Amino acid sequence: MSLAGLRLLRAELTGCRLREANLGESDLTGADLSGADLSSVRAIGAILRDTTLHGARIDPTLWRQAKVDGARVDPHHALEFAMAYGLRIGD
């Protein structure tokens, strides 16, 4: 599915299966993606500011492709984000 370039501000996408979707250049500011499957999404240039991502399935590449300022995440997402940017945890 392609949602590329869409404005989906504050969209309610809880639990949606978005696996392999194209979210490139989409604006999902304030969206609720809790429990969504975001595995293998293409998110180059996507805006996920202030989104809720609790319980979402996320591949580490999302953290490098999308703008996620202010997103609400689970602790394991925060670790994946840090590792995606090259931080070494616990060494």
Side-chain angles (χ1 to χ4, degrees):
M1 149 184 6
S2 180
L3 299 174
L6 297 179
R7 287 179 46 98
L8 298 167
L9 306 176
R10 293 176 296 286
E12 178 66 42
L13 299 170
T14 303
C16 285
R17 184 182 182 278
L18 298 171
R19 180 180 293 178
E20 299 179 7
N22 181 0
L23 302 177
E25 304 297 326
S26 290
D27 189 349
L28 290 142
T29 299
D32 189 347
L33 293 162
S34 299
D37 184 354
L38 300 169
S39 304
S40 302
V41 297
R42 181 171 186 256
I44 297 170
I47 301 169
L48 299 174
R49 286 190 181 106
D50 300 320
T51 58
T52 301
L53 296 166
H54 295 294
R57 285 184 169 166
I58 299 172
D59 287 340
T61 56
L62 176 94
W63 305 121
R64 299 287 300 199
Q65 294 179 351
K67 297 174 180 128
V68 294
D69 308 10
R72 288 171 291 287
V73 298
D74 296 323
H76 71 275
H77 291 139
L79 287 172
E80 290 169 357
F81 177 88
M83 291 183 332
Y85 280 90
L87 294 180
R88 295 171 54 183
I89 309 217
D91 282 354

